[in-house]
Amino acid sequence: MSSLRHHRIVIASLFLPNTAILGDSQPSTPDGTTPSFIGGPPARSSLLGKPAPLKSIVEDLRDKSRAVSPANTPRAEPANPFGSILPGSTVVAGAASAAQSLIGSVTAAVTGNGNGARKHQTTHSGASPRVQRRASRSSVGRTKSRSLSNSRKDSLSHSQPWHVESNSHCNGGLKNAVDSVNDRLRKKLWVGTLGTNTDNFKESLKRQMEWKMREEHESLPVWIPDSEFASCYDEFCHQVLWPCLHYAIPDAPKTKSFYESASFKQYVAVNQRFADAIVANYQEGDIIWVNDYHLMLLPRMLREKLPNAMIGFFMHVAFPSSEIFRCLSVREDLLLGVLGADLIGFQTANFARHFRQTVSRILTAEALPKGIQLEDRFVDVGVFPMGIDVKALTAKRADPEVAEWVQVLKQRYAGMKLIVGRDKLDEIQGVRHKIQAFEVFLDKHPEYVGKVVLIQVALQTTEENELQGGVSDVISHINSRFSNLTYQPVVFLHTQDLTFNQYLALLTVADAFMVTSLREGMALRTHEFVECQEQRHRPLILSEFTGSYSYSGFRSCIAINPWDKRTTANAIYQALTMSDEECLSRWEDLHNHVVTQSAQAFVTSFLIRALRASLEHQADSHTVAELDVSRVLPKYKHSEKRLILIDFEGTLWPRDAKAIAKGAFDPPRDKLELLNRIAEDPRNEVWLLSGLPVKGALEEVEKVCPKVGIVAENGCFIKTRPGRNGETSWINMVTNFNLTWKAPCLEILQYFTERTPGSFIEEREASVVWRFWTGQSDNNADRQWARRQAAEAQNHIFDSLGERYGLRIIPGANSFLVLPNNISRSTAVGAILHPGGPAHSPLGRTAWLSPEALEAEHEPDVDFVLSIGKDEKLMRRLNELDNAETVSTGVVVGEKGTDAKWKLRVEEVPSVLARFAETK
């Protein structure tokens, strides 16, 4: 973490953690004190000071008070947790349709204030009303919002008072995670929007806000026209991207708006405004951290302006399989935008795997376990599970007000079981499925009617998505069936209905916490529940479609398929009847995961990995000079043991796949003769590296240059150099590998060959090549079709065979190669460099064919290494040797970089080899 102290962290997120509010500062509380806006201690009244007889739940729920609830993990609360009645506060119920807020009712019951009079005034009473955009899906606690179209304000003067307060729209999990390492991140800058309409702000007011936000809150506001933001955020982000990322492709009649959304132009414009703001404020050494699906184009925009910047991108939500993502009409733009980063992070390994497969399928780039190999650079892809700040949450739980509310809730619900949930109301969160499963539970176990209450806290989303969630009707239905004057099975609250202290008390007294998401990233609210259950250890009911469930620690929950109402109902019964011993055992596993995968671990691991990846990429992209033979020859001349490695295809011989297929392979005898001349020097060990098969190709090469060692099929076979008696042999490097994958692989490729004109399959001993294009033109419709078929074929092979058999796929311009994971030219050269390998003991197979030979690092006993070719992985390995000279023949000006120390044009290779052959 110390390495990060020398860098400023620029955190780009759609909403800033703090926002500017027009109007005077917060008013004083009734006792005359003025609370602070952010970070001040909450003012409390004694909750147990005036006991009163408990009334029925219907009467209890009538006295309603509201306040803004903070987000996921503990952060500063408004000074007064009770606000005035807000519009839309009616709780949906059947027999209890007049019922209102649970917490407000408990306050009335305990304080004896049953006439509706409020002891505390609302925090912002009398202040200028907030103008807010619709609620962010990635935020957690938020206030009631209005659409931009009906929330315009009159022209504002810069002299109008304003103040700063916490932004309820911001990504609460990210803010809390960053705050948890504040002492170790010395410099940071948040970049985002205020979350309010700003069209009528005068320039002088904007400049004043910019200065104060920058100086006092380490924030840089991005000014975006209201209509542009509304189209980007409400339409493209919410109606296109969010459903797609969560496997919810809309049906007709919304299909057209999904696939042909004109709001993508505004999405591009918003991302460009972020890029301009960051570039204008960029300082050398900054680490730019781009967050979430709202800003998927930003990394590429920044890379174009800041080619050497350190950029990381983290996706906070799920990432779907390629079958879903490919439905987006702007799929390539989004993928290329994200690939501008040095590091791309996801919540789970499944999301990362989906991303790699999608890139491989749509962009036909090579997807490796560690990332994506593009033409000009490598992009790291990693998994960074998000967590909560356990220490801060523990401190918040110690607040005496939490204990007071715990006692109130225990008294109110004595003898009853409480099931608690907190979700957004859109269809993705599965609240409707939860209520229906709870109804099935009550039908199946009528003895629990009147003894179990489901308290559902709703996080707000847009009105349209709430409507699609279809929650209100199912709550009305179940409450109309089971409610009576003293019992209501479902208590429905908005997040404004209770403060964070009250929410923590609710988690503490809960007998189960229930998450029924149909698809979700990391469900941090489950982490909060686990920590709040430190004393009671009650179970967690968790959807198997959440990112949290993919981690072993969370396998101790009660897993459910939210689509299966009967199984979910059984899970509710299991949770309510579970023994204390089993509850404790499960809780310990959950707790160990929560404290290990904390917010601090998330921030530090991601930023350090981004820093390391960027430094590696910058080292790789340095300007490569043309090979200066006069500088290399002296090292060659004064060395006693030399290793010469030359690529065959593309360096000595132009690829001619058709000639090999027809059996008309003609090796370049003049160039191979140069290798023979170099191999005649006893100090030289010459190796030819090739991807061609032995039969029909390299057997012919062996006849022309018998003194040269040969690597065939990209490392699957090695022909040793002649021994003392002139004996040589071909050694199978994959003799212990399972090659049964070849038959189904050939079957898949045969299917695509029949549908791709001119394509053909090259079956080799331990690998398979599919040549999907053999024509001349690169831009005609036939080649476009062939490339699409190649992408489909790669995807099918990887999905069905890749993980099962440990295969890797190496895409080329007109073909791709399928071979075992641990085999490459680099591993073959590692075997050659091994002390017991063929470079030293041609017939000593045992030592260097062991697994340790391929992985372990050994100090080679050669004092000069020359490698000429295009294999970048091999170049990186050889660069670790102090005496290696690596030369790339694959550098194309303006297109592809290289890890080699030198570059060389292919046509100059013979003359360079001739100079080495002439040097004695």
Side-chain angles (χ1 to χ4, degrees), residues 27-103:
S28 299
T29 53
D31 59 5
T33 60
T34 302
S36 61
F37 295 110
I38 301 170
R44 297 195 322 272
S45 61
S46 175
L47 303 177
L48 300 177
K50 296 182 180 181
L54 294 176
K55 298 173 285 186
S56 73
I57 191 168
V58 176
E59 293 170 336
D60 278 351
L61 296 176
R62 282 177 182 159
D63 299 317
K64 176 147 189 178
S65 58
R66 287 193 172 191
V68 179
S69 171
N72 256 342
T73 50
R75 61 180 180 182
E77 290 184 32
N80 187 347
F82 305 104
S84 62
I85 296 176
L86 297 180
S89 60
T90 303
V91 176
V92 180
S97 60
Q100 296 182 333
S101 167
L102 168 71
I103 302 301

Side-chain angles (χ1 to χ4, degrees), residues 390-410:
V390 178
K391 184 178 179 180
L393 182 63
T394 302
K396 195 71 173 176
R397 287 170 46 221
D399 191 320
E401 184 180 338
V402 176
E404 292 172 351
W405 278 113
V406 167
Q407 293 304 316
V408 169
L409 290 169
K410 284 182 177 179

